[in-house]
Amino acid sequence: GAGVSQSPSNKVTEKGKDVELRCDPISGHTALYWYRQSLGQGLEFLIYFQGNSAPDKSGLPSDRFSAERTGGSVSTLTIQRTQQEDSAVYLCASSLDWRSSTEQYFGPGTRLTVT
Amino acid sequence: AQSVTQLGSHVSVSEGALVLLRCNYSSSVPPYLFWYVQYPNQGLQLLLKYTSAATLVKGINGFEAEFKKSETSFHLTKPSAHMSDAAEYFCAVSTGTASKLTFGTGTRLQVTL
C-alpha cells in the first residue's frame, strides 16, 4: 500500500499570506502527527491527532498555526499570516495506534519558504 | 519531561569501518527509543526501536543499538560502513501516553573511500 503522502512538496509564499499543507496518512492509521524541521530548531513536534479524541496541540508555536483532521483521515495544517521564521520542512507522520511504542511512518515533507 | 542528546553533529568514517553514533536520553519514566535515518530530500525512515523487550535491538541495513539504562544511552552501531549509509541519523524518545516523539539534533554520517 501507499505510504504517507504530503502536498505540495514545495511551497513558496510571501510574508503575510496564509498557507495550507496537506497530509494523507496510511489507510487504517488512527494517529496522525505533524512535525517541523528547521535549521535553527531541529525536528519539533507540532500537533497530534488520535481518533476522535481532542488533538494534542502543545507543540504549536503560535496561534497562527492550526490543524484539522477530517473524517479521521486527511489532515490540513494551516499557517496564517506567514512569517519568515515559518520557513521549514513540515513533516507528517501516521501510526497504527496511539501507543508510544508504535512506529510512526513519515511522509516526504513539504518545504515551505516564506519570502 | 523527556529529552535526547546526540553527541557529534558530524561523524566521518571510512568505508568498511565501524559506525558508532551516540545517543543519550533523559526521562523520568521508562522510555521508548527510536533511531530514524533521513536521506537527502526524503522523510524519516525507522531503523530500529526499543520498547522494553530485549536491550540489544537489531534493525534494518545491519544497524543495531543497545539500551543501557545505567548509562541512559541508546547508541547506534554498524560493524562495517557502506557508502550508502551516508545520511542524517536521528535518535528519538517517547514516553507513557505521550506518543509524540522528541528528537535529538541529528548526526550527519559521512562515509569515505
Side-chain angles (χ1 to χ4, degrees):
Chain A
V4 177
S5 60
Q6 294 186 244
S7 60
S9 55
N10 282 282
K11 176 73 177 178
V12 180
T13 190
E14 293 180 353
K15 178 181 173 181
K17 300 286 189 183
D18 297 351
V19 294
E20 287 187 349
L21 312 179
R22 177 187 169 103
C23 172
D24 278 279
I26 293 172
S27 177
H29 281 195
T30 62
L32 185 149
Y33 308 78
W34 283 97
Y35 296 88
R36 178 169 72 173
Q37 185 173 25
S38 59
L39 284 175
Q41 302 297 324
L43 268 160
E44 310 171 272
F45 164 78
L46 296 177
I47 187 170
Y48 152 55
F49 297 88
Q50 169 52 33
N52 296 321
S53 302
D56 177 351
K57 304 180 182 180
S58 60
L60 294 179
S62 78
D63 58 8
R64 295 186 296 105
F65 288 72
S66 62
E68 63 177 18
R69 187 178 186 192
T70 54
S73 181
V74 171
S75 177
T76 302
L77 177 69
T78 301
I79 309 173
Q80 296 179 310
R81 305 181 302 281
T82 52
Q83 304 294 313
Q84 288 188 329
E85 61 262 29
D86 300 334
S87 295
V89 176
Y90 290 82
L91 294 168
C92 176
S94 69
S95 64
L96 193 58
D97 58 48
W98 58 269
R99 291 176 296 174
S100 299
S101 59
T102 304
E103 175 181 355
Q104 295 181 24
Y105 294 82
F106 284 79
T110 293
R111 182 175 298 277
L112 174 67
T113 303
V114 181
T115 61
Chain B
Q2 58 201 34
S3 65
V4 172
T5 301
Q6 290 184 244
L7 292 176
S9 58
H10 289 84
V11 170
S12 182
V13 300
S14 300
E15 189 174 36
L18 171 71
V19 175
L20 170 61
L21 304 182
R22 299 179 185 273
C23 172
N24 289 86
Y25 69 91
S26 173
S27 174
S28 57
V29 297
Y32 300 108
L33 294 158
F34 305 80
W35 275 100
Y36 282 86
V37 61
Q38 186 176 35
Y39 298 100
N41 300 313
Q42 294 188 26
L44 281 77
Q45 179 183 9
L46 182 71
L47 281 176
L48 48 79
K49 65 178 182 180
Y50 167 75
T51 57
S52 74
T55 56
L56 181 61
V57 181
K58 295 187 182 298
I60 63 171
N61 301 338
F63 284 94
E64 63 181 37
E66 186 172 7
F67 173 72
K68 292 187 176 180
K69 183 177 179 180
S70 61
E71 298 178 9
T72 61
S73 69
F74 190 57
H75 302 330
L76 182 71
T77 60
K78 182 174 180 177
S80 176
H82 294 164
M83 296 297 289
S84 60
D85 295 327
E88 188 147 22
Y89 292 79
F90 292 92
C91 183
V93 63
S94 66
T95 57
T97 58
S99 57
K100 58 193 177 187
L101 293 171
T102 299
F103 286 91
T105 50
T107 297
R108 185 168 298 280
L109 176 65
Q110 180 182 21
V111 183
T112 60
L113 289 172

